[in-house]
Amino acid sequence: MDRHAQAAERLRVAAKERQQSPEGFVKELQNAMAELQVPLADRSFRKNFSRNYKVLFQANPNGYRVEVLESVLDLNATVYVNRRMHWITGLSMRKGHVLQQRLSQLFSLLESSEVKLGALWKLLQDLDEAWMEFEKHYIMDLIDIEAEARQPVADAVTLELQLRQAEEQRPPREEEEVHWLGRRERLPWTAQLEEHNVCDHAIRGAGVVPRSMPSISAVSQWLAKRTSTQNETPLDLQQLAVSAASEANASASELERTEKMKELLRKVCEINSNANVRGRGRPQMGFHVLQAAADDFLACQASEPTLETSVQAAFAKHVLEGFLHLRSYLFDMRGRMLEIDPQLQNNRQLQNCLVAWEDAWELGSRFLRPHDVSGALCSVAAQLGTLQQEHQDFASLVESQEAELFLVLPRLVLLCSLAGPERSSPFTATMLPSHFEEVSEGPDFSRTAEWDELLKKFKDLEQERSWRQLVENALRGPSSAQDEPMKAFLTQLEALGFELTRRRPEEWNSCCSLLLRCSMAVVDKAQTT
């Protein structure tokens, strides 16, 4: 058996096993082309591919990609990206059907009892031409779909650059412009439908299973490693606060800056609804939260430094930093859009920024306003900071973040609330609404009998024991009680602590993180004075 016949035999065996090993079939197909000296169709169109796809094809410039084979064997007119359906063009679908026919003819020939090399040579030539025609149009469709999938991020990057330009009061720089990433003009939905031919409509009517986006995240990560880090101009927290703060007599430039920030936030919400699969994926996050944080941050800076203003500034800073990190990420991605996986949820750094911002926004939305709720939370956080200074056991738990901390913290939060019920009631009522009812007139709350009973027990114990003793007992829990009144109080406190943590676990975990972060402002202030 000569080498031509051997190549044909190896291709026949690989064709039989194509379901289990498509890579093996593609390899033997390429070897057969070389052995039989089949003239190859033009491949110069690959120069027009995006950088990501050039990377995929550069290792074997005259060969075939198994992803193309899998796409044509499972030919589908729909591609799902970021929870949205996209359509492959009718031209690509027609080319795909031609390639399917050529493959079917090849498989039939290879299954016959005798394979004629002349017929195989002609069929391989036709197959190569059909493959390249399908690849050329199909890959360009994918490039357009990927560009459209990345476009919300590209728009956000553009808005971030325009916002920085407004903040720095300078003209735009050429390297900061972000253009439409696709090959063609974006078409409205109706125009996209008109572009598809009868073949597309037949496939849609057949009830085919939607196809997911072919991921090229590995290539994107490879590009990210090769791309040199750009010199980033750090965004100042102070500048962010100034840009987001409310202004009574704002100038035209200040109003323009505020509008740019609102527009950026709306675009971030669009990205968040598609990419943030670890959080809630909120499609709407109001600008008022960012503005309230900015107002509080600047007000604390302008006022006399106290424990309360330090804690309030820490809270506002937490909200601002969530948006600051997201803006820094967008600024860093200028000129690097092809490093972003078109399935936005696959981009870990983007995910982290979105989750952090959404969490910060939710905390701000819940506790920054009204002012009495914000003041109540900061009062509790300030007391927790003082407890860290006075009780080394608690300070050690906070530093180590051991599991015991999250058993102790609910008891201490409730104890601090009981120590200043008038000041802390708005916060406690927010976290335990079943134990409080808002009075129709004024900011006060009416308490349930259970909460009044706990408050009475606390006041009775407060007359007999020092605050330090009460805290130490709360740290150790009901088992540390040496008398019945203390045991009854700690048992009820423990039960309310479980209710606090289990009512909305995710919300409580975020609140814990915020309380501890704000309490550290008290510790830091004490260390610097």
Side-chain angles (χ1 to χ4, degrees), residues 351-380:
Q351 272 272 331
N352 293 340
C353 290
L354 290 172
V355 169
W357 164 236
E358 186 180 68
D359 182 67
W361 184 91
E362 288 180 346
L363 286 170
S365 176
R366 192 162 182 80
F367 298 115
L368 269 177
R369 295 291 183 271
H371 285 288
D372 58 341
V373 175
S374 175
L377 180 142
C378 292
S379 174
V380 172

Side-chain angles (χ1 to χ4, degrees), residues 63-75:
Y64 307 98
R65 293 291 306 184
V66 69
E67 295 88 350
V68 177
L69 175 66
E70 291 172 339
S71 296
V72 77
L73 292 178
D74 185 25
L75 193 59

Side-chain angles (χ1 to χ4, degrees), residues 9-260:
E9 177 61 21
R10 289 195 301 269
L11 181 59
R12 185 185 66 81
V13 173
K16 282 185 176 181
E17 299 175 351
R18 64 184 181 276
Q19 299 287 351
Q20 296 78 20
S21 177
E23 296 88 354
F25 171 72
V26 168
K27 179 181 177 182
E28 291 303 329
L29 176 63
Q30 186 170 331
N31 290 339
M33 291 281 186
E35 289 292 343
L36 297 175
Q37 297 181 344
V38 177
L40 301 180
D42 180 38
R43 284 157 166 75
S44 61
F45 62 85
R46 290 175 176 173
K47 296 178 182 178
N48 298 322
F49 287 171
S50 66
R51 185 165 49 133
N52 289 20
Y53 282 99
K54 286 179 181 178
V55 169
L56 287 177
F57 285 95
Q58 69 181 5
N60 191 5
N62 290 324
Y64 307 98
R65 293 291 306 184
V66 69
E67 295 88 350
V68 177
L69 175 66
E70 291 172 339
S71 296
V72 77
L73 292 178
D74 185 25
L75 193 59
N76 200 313
T78 56
V79 177
Y80 273 75
V81 195
N82 302 326
R83 305 176 186 177
R84 180 184 170 189
M85 184 171 64
H86 299 259
W87 295 97
I88 298 298
T89 59
L91 179 59
S92 295
M93 294 300 296
R94 290 196 296 273
K95 299 296 184 182
H97 288 308
V98 173
L99 179 55
Q100 283 181 336
Q101 292 173 1
R102 297 292 179 264
L103 286 168
S104 179
Q105 292 169 0
L106 175 63
F107 297 148
S108 297
L109 178 63
L110 294 173
E111 290 171 1
S112 62
S113 57
E114 182 180 358
V115 178
K116 295 182 179 180
L117 293 180
L120 178 60
W121 186 92
K122 180 66 171 68
L123 188 51
L124 288 178
Q125 184 181 20
D126 293 342
L127 174 65
D128 180 73
E129 183 178 346
W131 186 300
M132 291 303 115
E133 282 294 309
F134 172 69
E135 178 188 294
K136 174 171 62 176
H137 296 286
Y138 183 74
I139 296 298
M140 291 304 289
D141 281 351
L142 291 184
I143 290 172
D144 283 341
I145 291 172
E146 290 173 5
E148 189 170 348
R150 295 185 181 102
Q151 196 60 38
V153 181
D155 292 341
V157 171
T158 299
L159 289 169
E160 167 60 24
L161 296 176
Q162 291 173 354
L163 180 55
R164 290 198 180 218
Q165 172 197 339
E167 289 171 337
E168 298 171 11
Q169 297 183 344
R170 59 168 175 78
R173 298 167 185 158
E174 183 179 352
E175 68 271 15
E176 291 183 350
E177 295 182 3
V178 181
H179 303 286
W180 162 240
L181 303 171
R183 163 176 63 112
R184 301 168 300 204
E185 291 295 322
R186 282 177 284 186
L187 299 176
W189 178 245
T190 53
Q192 291 181 32
L193 288 178
E194 292 171 359
E195 184 181 327
H196 304 140
N197 67 353
V198 177
C199 179
D200 293 329
H201 293 288
I203 291 175
R204 294 178 217 169
V208 292
V209 178
R211 185 178 180 85
S212 297
M213 186 71 182
S215 176
I216 55 170
S217 57
V219 180
S220 298
Q221 293 168 10
W222 183 85
L223 286 170
K225 291 178 181 177
R226 286 175 56 99
T227 305
S228 59
T229 304
Q230 304 187 53
N231 294 325
E232 178 179 346
T233 304
L235 181 64
D236 182 61
L237 189 69
Q238 179 77 16
Q239 178 61 66
L240 173 61
V242 170
S243 298
S246 56
E247 292 285 348
N249 299 309
S251 64
S253 61
E254 290 170 338
L255 290 174
E256 179 186 1
R257 186 179 60 195
T258 301
E259 285 305 312
K260 282 293 180 187

Side-chain angles (χ1 to χ4, degrees), residues 376-394:
L377 180 142
C378 292
S379 174
V380 172
Q383 291 179 75
L384 291 175
T386 303
L387 292 183
Q388 290 182 56
Q389 297 174 275
E390 296 174 350
H391 298 268
Q392 185 57 43
D393 291 345
F394 179 49

Side-chain angles (χ1 to χ4, degrees), residues 413-425:
V413 168
L414 291 172
L415 188 68
C416 292
S417 298
L418 291 168
E422 293 79 12
R423 176 65 167 157
S424 61
S425 285

